[in-house]
Amino acid sequence: MKMTNNRGVALAITLLVIVVLITIGALFVLRAVNEKNISDHQQMAAKAFYIAEAGINLGINQLNTLINTDMLNTVNTMNPQVLSNKAQSAVTNADGITFLMDTVKKNGTAQLILNGANAEYTVNSTAFGSGNYQYKIIISEKSNPSATGTDKWKLEYYYTINSTGSSSAETKKIVLTGDFTVEVQRDNFAKYALFTDHHGTPSGGTVWFTDKTNFAGPLHTNEKYSFALNPSGTFAGAVTQQDTKAQFYNNGNPVLIDADANGTIDVPTFNAGYQRGVAQIVLSSSVQKQDLIDQARGGDTTPGNGIFVANNGTALTGGIYVSGGANVSLGVDGNGDAAYTITQGSTTKTVTVKRASNQTAVQSGSTTTTYSGLPDGIDDVGTIIYVNGAINSVSGTVQKDTEVTLSSENDIVITNNLNYQDYTAGVGTPGTTGYVPPNADGKTNLLGIVSWGGNVRVGTSAPNNVNLHGIIMARNGIFTVDNYSDTGVGSRGTATLLGGAVTQFYGAFGLFNGQTGAQVAGYGRNFVYDSRTLLGKSTPYFPSMNAFIAFTNDLTDKLIWQNG
């Protein structure tokens, strides 16, 4: 019998099986490790992507802050005329990026960096969860800036946001592109035929609208209006007020009603509607007063009272500044040039503005000195006259090519007609059918009168049926008539204002009989707004001007995402 030993074979087979199992196990372990590495890689890549996406979202939010907060805040504190100059410069120079550099600021610090033809904002590597992000906003011009109307400008931009997210060793990049449009427009209180912060006298008295009240243009008050008798005023423009109720005379027993009329007793005529409960419109900040002073002084620091025309010896450097009270007469000389005659005590100076030759002649007594340039302030916006005191008398004619603002620290008394040299006179009787109000459409002459700390008053020497052409502001006072209740003098006819009145309180112009409605003293009001102001037109450095920015499309419109 033959015997065979299988132990060696079994051992070999066992070893082989062990090797195979070890190999397979190693393969499984290796695969598991690889799959984990792949999974970790994918997880880190996903994290990096989402971190990059977070960077994009933070970038678009930051862009929104830069444009809709930082730019807006800067504009709201910037002199409106300076702002409009920057916008017009962007159009003239086909350069909208410089406008962004000048206006996208936070606490006075520019937020954008100029890089070639682009404006950029960069956020460096910042921790986010288990990774980091960084992004850069690049703003470029979409088209050349353009003027879209009077004092309206449109600036169009492209933007690109490059965001990088990292998690461990993984990095992902995302690119977001879009566009936005900025519109800059000057807005101002000059567009109102009447604007009052408080629609009553400073002592709390009521001033009533009656049939001797006629307004051709928009009105607003941050309180309520008061109407008396039937009819009780004619209003051609939109009328708005903050209070929800109007006050009606009600035959001497005043009532508050949320209505356009008090039955058939007190009935005003609203041709463009009467809206109550509208939001408050805040009057401009008194900070702008210093700007008017600076523009007029033009760097001149001469102490003491006097009439100063800022100059460097040969050229004008500012406007006209008067330290102390004065009388001011606006006129047109024999050559058709604007002439301002200013008297303070025994001193009289006549400032003649020769626009055609870009020269200004200052006459004091028998001496005349001629300078190059015009008394248009530091920023060359238009003629500015600031009286650091009271203007005891002002009257005259505004030359046809002149835009001028006359500003005073205290009261301003209008002693005669204030007329534009170039305007279209009204036809007919105010408040009657067929009446055509005066207008200055298409004309250049424009007058602003501003009292910062006092009242603007129509004096007792002013004629009956006085004409007042200009935009009048009593920032902390009233626009009123001296001795408006003097029945001994009686009715003085109608005061026709071609422009607007902006006041802290509402001043009385006349007195009416509560039974018959007849005017027994002072003037009836015929306030005709200057339609040019609805297009953003205003007088030089007028303090009620406000600039605002509106966006024609949201920043998140038309977004294009790209995985970098």
Side-chain angles (χ1 to χ4, degrees):
M1 183 171 92
K2 184 178 180 180
M3 298 183 62
T4 304
N5 187 350
N6 294 323
R7 291 180 181 179
V9 175
L11 180 59
I13 293 173
T14 300
L15 292 174
L16 179 62
V17 169
I18 291 172
V19 170
V20 171
L21 291 175
I22 291 173
T23 301
I24 293 174
L27 291 174
F28 275 114
V29 170
L30 182 60
R31 181 175 180 180
V33 170
N34 287 337
E35 288 181 349
K36 183 179 185 305
N37 288 338
I38 293 171
S39 176
D40 289 345
H41 175 80
Q42 291 175 338
Q43 186 178 23
M44 292 302 103
K47 284 184 178 181
F49 177 83
Y50 290 125
I51 291 172
E53 187 177 41
I56 284 287
N57 290 324
L58 291 169
I60 195 69
N61 289 338
Q62 180 60 36
L63 179 60
N64 184 64
T65 298
L66 292 171
I67 302 302
N68 290 324
T69 299
D70 295 340
M71 175 183 278
L72 185 59
N73 289 341
T74 300
V75 166
N76 285 341
T77 57
M78 184 182 291
N79 178 282
Q81 191 64 56
V82 173
L83 176 71
S84 65
N85 287 346
K86 290 182 181 296
Q88 184 57 47
S89 177
V91 173
T92 302
N93 300 323
D95 180 11
I97 295 299
T98 295
F99 180 84
L100 284 183
M101 301 298 299
D102 289 344
T103 58
V104 181
K105 295 183 177 181
K106 185 175 183 179
N107 298 323
T109 302
Q111 299 297 291
L112 300 174
I113 300 296
L114 184 64
N115 186 1
N118 299 328
E120 296 182 355
Y121 182 92
T122 301
V123 170
N124 295 319
S125 183
T126 303
F128 186 87
S130 60
N132 296 275
Y133 70 83
Q134 60 184 35
Y135 65 79
K136 176 180 288 187
I137 301 171
I138 303 171
I139 303 174
S140 60
E141 289 190 89
K142 182 178 181 180
S143 62
N144 288 335
S146 61
T148 58
T150 302
D151 292 331
K152 289 184 66 176
W153 301 270
K154 182 168 70 172
L155 303 96
E156 296 181 305
Y157 301 95
Y158 287 122
Y159 68 86
T160 299
I161 302 176
N162 296 311
S163 177
T164 301
S166 60
S167 179
S168 295
E170 292 298 324
T171 299
K172 288 293 182 180
K173 295 182 179 181
I174 299 179
V175 179
L176 175 68
T177 61
D179 58 43
F180 63 94
T181 301
V182 175
E183 288 193 11
V184 179
Q185 177 178 333
R186 287 199 295 174
D187 196 16
N188 57 74
F189 292 103
K191 68 184 179 184
Y192 291 103
L194 176 67
F195 178 99
T196 58
D197 204 20
H198 305 284
H199 201 75
T201 66
S203 61
T206 301
V207 183
W208 299 91
F209 287 150
T210 71
D211 65 334
K212 300 300 185 291
T213 302
N214 300 284
F215 287 93
L219 277 72
H220 177 82
T221 182
N222 288 327
E223 289 187 339
K224 64 179 178 296
Y225 291 118
S226 300
F227 306 95
L229 309 176
N230 184 2
S232 51
T234 301
F235 305 88
V239 179
T240 59
Q241 68 175 48
Q242 185 177 8
D243 288 6
T244 57
K245 295 181 179 180
Q247 181 171 230
F248 296 94
Y249 189 65
N250 196 40
N251 294 325
N253 300 295
V255 294
L256 293 173
I257 306 174
D258 184 8
D260 290 0
N262 177 31
T264 59
I265 300 174
D266 306 296
V267 186
T269 300
F270 300 106
N271 293 327
Y274 176 28
Q275 186 177 1
R276 297 168 293 281
V278 303
Q280 179 187 18
I281 300 174
V282 180
L283 268 174
S284 58
S285 169
S286 61
V287 171
Q288 292 177 309
K289 177 178 74 172
Q290 187 60 48
D291 185 56
L292 268 72
I293 294 173
D294 293 341
Q295 293 290 342
R297 294 227 72 167
D300 180 79
T301 59
T302 305
N305 288 349
I307 304 165
F308 306 101
V309 183
N311 66 88
N312 61 12
T314 58
L316 296 192
T317 58
I320 303 170
Y321 179 80
V322 181
S323 180
N327 297 335
V328 180
S329 176
L330 313 177
V332 181
D333 72 0
N335 296 318
D337 295 321
Y340 307 101
T341 301
I342 304 172
T343 301
Q344 184 183 76
S346 60
T347 300
T348 296
K349 288 187 178 182
T350 299
V351 182
T352 303
V353 181
K354 306 175 180 182
R355 293 195 173 273
S357 60
N358 192 41
Q359 291 179 312
T360 299
V362 180
Q363 178 183 351
S364 180
S366 59
T367 302
T368 299
T369 305
T370 300
Y371 302 94
S372 63
L374 309 175
D376 286 351
I378 297 171
D379 294 321
D380 296 321
V381 174
T383 302
I384 174 69
I385 304 172
Y386 194 98
V387 178
N388 191 21
I391 299 177
N392 301 307
S393 173
V394 61
S395 61
T397 301
V398 180
Q399 193 264 351
K400 64 180 182 178
D401 298 318
T402 296
E403 295 182 359
V404 55
T405 294
L406 176 62
S407 185
S408 173
E409 181 70 26
N410 298 316
D411 282 9
I412 299 175
V413 183
I414 300 170
T415 54
N416 208 326
N417 290 310
L418 278 171
N419 288 320
Y420 290 144
Q421 182 184 21
D422 194 10
Y423 79 103
T424 302
V427 178
T429 303
T432 63
T433 301
Y435 172 66
V436 179
N439 73 81
D441 295 349
K443 312 301 183 183
T444 303
N445 38 199
L446 191 61
L447 171 66
I449 292 180
V450 182
S451 171
W452 285 101
N455 304 320
V456 179
R457 300 155 33 210
V458 180
T460 56
S461 65
N464 292 345
N465 299 312
V466 66
N467 286 324
L468 307 169
H469 296 171
I471 302 159
I472 295 171
M473 181 180 192
R475 176 60 184 86
N476 292 292
I478 58 176
F479 179 32
T480 189
V481 172
D482 285 348
N483 298 335
Y484 69 87
S485 60
D486 188 346
T487 56
V489 174
S491 173
R492 298 171 66 181
T494 301
T496 296
L497 174 68
L498 173 55
V502 183
T503 62
Q504 182 73 21
F505 297 92
Y506 190 46
F509 260 51
L511 186 67
F512 70 97
N513 185 302
Q515 300 299 318
T516 66
Q519 183 179 322
V520 296
Y523 296 99
R525 298 178 201 253
N526 179 35
F527 283 16
V528 181
Y529 86 111
D530 191 332
S531 60
R532 294 176 294 175
T533 62
L534 283 182
L535 299 175
K537 193 69 174 174
S538 188
T539 65
Y541 311 105
F542 195 74
S544 62
M545 289 190 298
N546 245 341
F548 64 89
I549 289 180
F551 296 92
T552 58
N553 66 301
D554 188 78
L555 291 169
T556 55
D557 286 350
K558 305 175 185 176
L559 298 182
I560 300 175
W561 292 74
Q562 178 182 345
N563 188 0

